[in-house]
Amino acid sequence: MCLPIGMISEIILKYSGKIVYSIVILVIGFLVLKFSNKILEKWKRKQRSSVFPINQKRIDTLAALFKSIVKYSIYFLVIVLILENFNVSIKTILAVAGIGGLAIGFGAQSLIRDVIAGLFLIIEDQLSVGDYVTIDGRSGTVKEMGIKTIKIQDYNGSIHIIPNGSIGAITNWSRHNSKAIVDVKLNTKMNFDEVSLKLQEVFEEIKEEFKEDIVGPPQIVGIVDTNWIEYTLRIVTETKPLRHWDLERAMRKKIIEKLFVN
C-alpha cells in the first residue's frame, strides 16, 4: 500500500534534521577512517626509516591489525550515534534482542573466539603479512591479518578468507631456511662415479647462479631407491626461505642437459 504524497512530505519534513545529521555522521566517520589509514601508512614509512627498524613483515602485520580495529570501532560508533539520533536506545535493542539471545550468544562466542585467536597469532608472532603459509591444507601468501579473519592468496590468485578462530595447524614456510631436494632417476648401467663428476659441474653452476640464495652447498645424499633397472640419487641444498623451488627447477634443467642431452 502506497503512502499519500502529502504524508511522505510530512515524514521528510519531520525527520529532515535527523536525516541530515545522520548523513553528516556517515561523512565524518568516512573521513576519520581515511585519516586514520593515512596516519598508519605514515607510521609504516617512519618505521622503515627508523634507526632501530622493526621487521618489515611485523610492521605490515601490526598496521593491518590496527586498521581492522579502527575500522570496526568507527563502524560501531557511527551506528550507535545514528540510532541514538532517531531515539532508538541501544539498551532497548539489546532487550529486544534477548528474544533471540541464544543465537546471538553463539554468534558472540564465535566473534570473541576469532578476536582472541587473532590476538594470539599477533602476540606469538606465528605468522606475518607477506609470509607464505599452509593453513589447514590451504597454501598461499598472507595478504591481510584482521582481528576476525586472515586472508591468504594462493598461486592462481584466489583469496582464501579464514576466521581466526577456525585456524588449526599452521606451516610457515618463510621463517626458516628451506631445503631444495632433487631426486634423479638413473639407469643402473650409468657409472656412478662418472655421474657424480658431471653433477659436481652442475653444482658449481648452481652455486654461481644462486649465490645470494644458497646457505649450504648442494650435496649428494646418496642412493635412496633402486631396482634392477634404475636407481634414484638424491641431492639436497639448503637455501634461504622459499628459494628452494626456483633452485630445484634450475637444477633439474641443468642435470637433464648434462646427463641426458647429447
Side-chain angles (χ1 to χ4, degrees):
M1 180 178 179
C2 297
L3 293 174
I5 296 177
M7 186 177 295
I8 294 175
S9 300
E10 289 180 9
I11 293 173
I12 292 175
L13 288 173
K14 182 179 179 180
Y15 292 101
S16 58
K18 295 181 180 296
I19 293 172
V20 171
Y21 176 82
S22 299
I23 293 173
V24 171
I25 292 297
L26 287 171
V27 172
I28 291 175
F30 173 77
L31 293 176
V32 170
L33 184 60
K34 295 284 288 184
F35 178 74
S36 64
N37 287 339
K38 285 185 178 181
I39 293 295
L40 285 170
E41 289 298 323
K42 185 178 179 180
W43 174 78
K44 285 170 62 176
R45 291 193 295 270
K46 182 178 179 181
Q47 288 301 322
R48 292 192 187 103
S49 58
S50 174
V51 178
F52 302 103
I54 306 174
N55 179 276
Q56 182 58 53
K57 290 182 179 180
R58 191 69 170 163
I59 293 173
D60 293 338
T61 301
L62 291 173
L65 177 64
F66 291 149
K67 282 183 180 180
S68 182
I69 292 173
V70 170
K71 179 178 69 175
Y72 287 116
S73 298
I74 291 174
Y75 286 173
F76 177 77
L77 185 58
V78 166
I79 292 172
V80 169
L81 290 175
I82 290 176
L83 290 175
E84 291 288 352
N85 177 46
F86 284 96
N87 301 319
V88 178
S89 172
I90 297 299
K91 294 181 180 179
T92 303
I93 293 176
L94 293 176
V96 173
I99 299 173
L102 184 61
I104 293 175
F106 280 122
Q109 288 178 12
S110 176
L111 175 61
I112 292 171
R113 184 179 68 248
D114 290 339
V115 171
I116 292 176
L119 290 175
F120 273 108
L121 286 174
I122 302 296
I123 293 170
E124 295 179 358
D125 197 21
Q126 297 178 18
L127 43 79
S128 302
V129 172
D131 285 352
Y132 187 83
V133 299
T134 299
I135 299 176
D136 298 331
R138 296 185 181 91
S139 296
T141 303
V142 179
K143 305 301 290 185
E144 183 180 322
M145 292 182 67
I147 59 172
K148 190 176 185 303
T149 61
I150 179 174
K151 296 180 181 179
I152 63 173
Q153 184 176 29
D154 61 25
Y155 271 125
N156 64 16
S158 300
I159 296 290
H160 302 285
I161 303 173
I162 306 172
N164 292 331
S166 68
I167 293 175
I170 300 174
T171 302
N172 193 327
W173 302 90
S174 300
R175 295 300 174 87
H176 301 288
N177 291 335
S178 302
K179 291 283 184 71
I181 301 175
V182 175
D183 288 341
V184 185
K185 291 186 180 296
L186 302 167
N187 192 292
T188 51
K189 294 180 180 179
M190 298 178 71
N191 184 274
F192 181 84
D193 294 330
E194 292 180 2
V195 169
S196 298
L197 289 174
K198 290 184 178 180
L199 287 177
Q200 291 301 324
E201 295 177 13
V202 172
F203 296 165
E204 292 302 319
E205 294 177 9
I206 286 292
K207 284 191 291 185
E208 180 62 27
E209 184 176 342
F210 290 87
K211 58 185 176 182
E212 300 296 328
D213 302 315
I214 289 180
V215 177
Q219 293 182 338
I220 299 175
V221 175
I223 298 173
V224 294
D225 189 26
T226 185
N227 56 46
W228 65 280
I229 297 177
E230 61 184 12
Y231 61 95
T232 302
L233 204 62
R234 176 162 294 175
I235 302 164
V236 177
T237 311
E238 187 174 2
T239 72
K240 291 181 180 179
L242 302 179
R243 296 301 298 150
H244 60 295
W245 287 312
D246 287 341
L247 189 144
E248 286 174 356
R249 286 191 287 267
M251 185 173 289
R252 291 189 186 104
K253 179 176 181 293
K254 291 181 181 297
I255 289 173
I256 290 172
E257 291 172 348
K258 286 285 184 182
L259 298 182
F260 304 110
V261 178
N262 296 324

